[in-house]
Amino acid sequence: MKNIRTKITGLALVSLGLFVTSCSEDNFLDQQSPTDPPTETAVTNEKTLAIAVDGLYNLMQTSSDGAQNSYGALIPTLNELLGDNGFVSLRNSNRFTATRQPTLTFFVRQGGDIQTLWNSLYKIIANANYIISKEGVISDDLSNDDTPQNLFAQAHLVRAMCYHTLITFYADKVGGANQDLGVPLALKYDVSQLLPRSSVQAVYNQIKSDLDASAQISEDNSVTKLGKGALDIMYSRYYLSIKDYTNANVYSQKVLDNANYTLLSKSNAASYFSDDSNSAGETIFQLEYTSNDQPGANDGITATWYSGGRYRQNFATRAFYNQYSATDVRKTAWYSLTGVGAPSITTFPDNPKPVDVKKYTTPDQDIIIFRKTEAIFNQIEALYYTNPGSALTKLNDWVKTYRDENYAFSGSGTALLDEILKQKNMEFFLEGFRYTDLKRNGRGFTNTQTTVSLNPSMKEFQAFPVPLQEQNANPNIQQYPGY
């Protein structure tokens, strides 16, 4: 997001690792006592409401304390490193190395990344809760082009996104194991609350409620603000998650019909990730970084994922790279077998050698959260469960038209589902999908590089553990069985 002189500081709640910030008339988010609630004068008009909503986007970025904390880095990183196509090199900085252990040492209550993700998402939720508590109180400022309704709608949508991410990682899928163990539903600011886990169904009901409450969101918000396109994408994700494939198809089509966005073409694919201006029209929502608020060389997604980054250690597998045909425009546009800088990644000790991912190459590059092509794959996945013949046709048509003119696939059954998810990962590698896509569809895997193997019967495939720090602070929270 743009540098608006915001200063994010933590206000820890007793349970859930929650934090909240407040804002004052001089556009700063002021630090408060670790035990005091936000002042009631923090959000009093549309101007301070807008500043507070901007603060939500700030919190979705990589944090200023060096933690790769949620949508800006950690979520896309874990989706690949806990899947079958990404890995940490044998030459590494010790970051994320537990993800490559076949003994599954990543999945422990003491895990720093598991704790960071939990804290980061609940921190955003706490701030959204405070903003939403002012709904119905803030009057429309007629001198401002925005409206309180649009700003509150964005806060509801942010909260829906966070709960969707939490339930995806920390609970099993709908219809899976332990449906009584969702995640705690914090919906108001209360330093005394020690919340138990709500059921999976209750959490999804809340996500739907927040999506519905976002109905007045603007149609034409910029790509650095959540708007109607982002809302419809989230509806399609939600309906896929609860296995309502008819509505997942309907909302995917709403995104595809939205003329404010254009599907990324073959000719624009090579430059898409270096074009923060979104000239291709594909981007629906992105986290905006500038030279003033970039995460820095030690932080952010480029630190570990790009061969020109400081730690140059996270890569795609050669088996994944070899899935692209020579005529697929993504192969050389988004990946490299040599990387940049010295030494070349061909000298790394891994066997097979790593593949560099070129999607994010500079610290101030914007991070894409929603783009129009996702609607294609959400629709195809929904159709797989309702009309597999149509899913097959749409998959072939899209790949041939937009990525690889020589593509052809004719499989059926689970082979078709695996091909749909494979093509989605080929399109969205390092954009936050693979682990959660496999989990949602019950598709176990083995990572060819690390030999890490997961399947739906394993607790590690079903859910992350509740962080030990959270258990120690909140006696009412139940641990996921087996941890």
Side-chain angles (χ1 to χ4, degrees):
M1 62 174 286
K2 294 186 182 299
N3 179 20
I4 57 169
R5 299 197 307 146
T6 54
K7 180 171 58 179
I8 300 299
T9 56
L11 174 65
L13 298 189
V14 176
S15 72
L16 300 177
L18 297 185
F19 298 83
V20 72
T21 55
S22 68
C23 53
S24 64
E25 287 289 339
D26 66 358
N27 290 10
F28 280 83
L29 297 180
D30 296 330
Q31 185 172 6
Q32 305 223 359
S33 163
T35 57
D36 290 339
T39 64
E40 287 303 310
T41 58
V43 174
T44 58
N45 54 38
E46 191 174 313
K47 176 184 176 183
T48 51
L49 174 63
I51 294 168
V53 171
D54 278 343
L56 296 179
Y57 297 123
N58 200 330
L59 288 171
M60 295 173 81
Q61 295 181 334
T62 307
S63 69
S64 59
D65 61 7
Q68 298 198 25
N69 68 351
S70 60
Y71 296 95
L74 188 54
I75 291 167
T77 293
L78 294 182
N79 263 286
E80 300 305 340
L81 296 184
L82 298 178
D84 51 347
N85 293 320
F87 72 103
V88 177
S89 171
L90 291 169
R91 180 187 296 169
N92 60 67
S93 66
N94 205 35
R95 289 163 173 79
F96 305 112
T97 53
T99 62
R100 63 168 294 127
Q101 301 303 321
T103 53
L104 305 179
T105 56
F106 173 84
F107 298 92
V108 294
R109 296 178 303 155
Q110 303 91 333
D113 295 318
I114 288 173
Q115 178 73 57
T116 296
L117 182 60
W118 178 278
N119 283 355
S120 298
L121 291 168
Y122 274 113
K123 181 177 181 178
I124 300 169
I125 288 168
N127 282 266
N129 286 345
Y130 178 69
I131 292 169
I132 291 168
S133 73
K134 301 298 182 179
E135 200 163 10
V137 176
I138 306 301
S139 300
D140 191 6
D141 183 350
L142 298 180
S143 67
N144 192 329
D145 290 337
D146 213 336
T147 65
Q149 290 79 11
N150 178 47
L151 293 166
F152 286 121
Q154 291 175 60
H156 278 286
L157 184 48
V158 167
R159 188 166 72 177
M161 290 171 61
C162 290
Y163 273 121
H164 189 265
T165 302
L166 281 163
I167 198 69
T168 298
F169 279 106
Y170 293 92
D172 202 2
K173 65 180 182 177
V174 168
N178 303 296
Q179 292 294 286
D180 56 325
L181 298 179
V183 296
L185 276 175
L187 301 176
K188 62 180 181 178
Y189 179 84
D190 181 353
V191 297
S192 64
Q193 62 185 346
L194 296 171
L195 297 173
R197 298 171 77 136
S198 295
S199 69
V200 171
Q201 184 62 57
V203 177
Y204 278 108
N205 288 346
Q206 179 57 45
I207 293 168
K208 176 63 160 50
S209 177
D210 274 323
L211 293 178
D212 291 347
S214 303
Q216 295 189 67
I217 204 162
S218 174
E219 179 69 47
D220 57 355
N221 281 346
S222 72
V223 296
T224 60
K225 307 287 185 184
L226 292 166
K228 185 64 166 57
L231 175 60
D232 287 339
I233 278 281
M234 271 306 304
Y235 267 121
S236 71
R237 289 187 184 184
Y238 161 79
Y239 283 118
L240 280 181
S241 297
I242 67 167
K243 302 181 181 181
D244 182 344
Y245 300 116
T246 298
N247 274 314
N249 184 12
V250 167
Y251 278 91
S252 297
Q253 191 61 48
K254 286 178 181 287
V255 177
L256 296 175
D257 290 340
N258 191 326
N260 289 320
Y261 314 104
T262 305
L263 288 173
L264 185 64
S265 67
K266 288 178 184 176
S267 60
N268 288 325
S271 61
Y272 175 61
F273 287 95
S274 60
D275 178 18
D276 286 347
S277 69
N278 188 36
S279 62
E282 162 86 353
T283 305
I284 294 174
F285 171 64
Q286 62 189 19
L287 297 179
E288 184 181 21
Y289 290 93
T290 72
S291 58
N292 292 325
D293 63 0
Q294 67 185 36
N298 288 313
D299 197 12
I301 203 165
T302 58
T304 53
W305 273 103
Y306 180 50
S307 67
R310 172 156 293 185
Y311 303 112
R312 57 197 322 251
Q313 62 162 63
N314 298 348
F315 299 102
T317 68
R318 189 63 67 98
F320 170 72
Y321 176 82
N322 289 340
Q323 293 175 337
Y324 295 90
S325 75
T327 53
D328 194 313
V329 296
R330 298 169 292 193
K331 187 167 190 174
T332 57
W334 298 348
Y335 304 95
S336 169
L337 297 181
T338 58
V340 301
S344 167
I345 60 173
T346 59
T347 67
F348 276 49
D350 309 280
N351 185 25
K353 296 301 182 185
V355 177
D356 192 20
V357 184
K358 300 192 296 182
K359 286 187 173 180
Y360 297 109
T361 59
T362 60
D364 64 350
Q365 192 171 336
D366 297 340
I367 304 295
I368 297 162
I369 307 299
F370 298 128
R371 56 186 178 102
K372 187 166 186 171
T373 297
E374 181 190 339
I376 291 287
F377 282 94
N378 291 355
Q379 183 173 69
I380 291 173
E381 182 179 331
L383 288 171
Y384 167 78
Y385 289 100
T386 58
N387 188 343
S390 180
L392 177 63
T393 298
K394 285 182 177 291
L395 179 67
N396 275 282
D397 288 349
W398 179 81
V399 179
K400 287 175 66 70
T401 302
Y402 290 92
R403 299 295 180 265
D404 182 2
E405 60 189 15
N406 294 323
Y407 177 80
F409 181 79
S410 58
S412 61
T414 55
L416 173 57
L417 175 60
D418 289 341
E419 179 66 15
I420 292 167
L421 298 179
K422 183 185 87 170
Q423 286 295 329
K424 184 176 180 182
N425 197 215
M426 290 170 70
E427 177 70 13
F428 289 96
F429 189 94
L430 199 53
E431 296 181 56
F433 292 99
R434 185 57 172 174
Y435 172 77
T436 50
D437 281 351
L438 293 170
K439 175 180 171 179
R440 182 178 65 255
N441 288 281
R443 307 304 295 161
F445 65 89
T446 297
N447 186 305
T448 58
Q449 192 85 23
T450 65
T451 72
V452 170
S453 182
L454 291 175
N455 67 69
S457 69
M458 301 167 66
K459 67 181 187 297
E460 293 87 354
F461 191 82
Q462 294 167 7
F464 285 3
V466 172
L468 180 60
Q469 183 183 90
E470 181 62 33
Q471 275 195 291
N472 289 340
N474 181 4
N476 294 328
I477 195 164
Q478 183 178 347
Q479 183 58 267
Y480 197 85
Y483 289 110

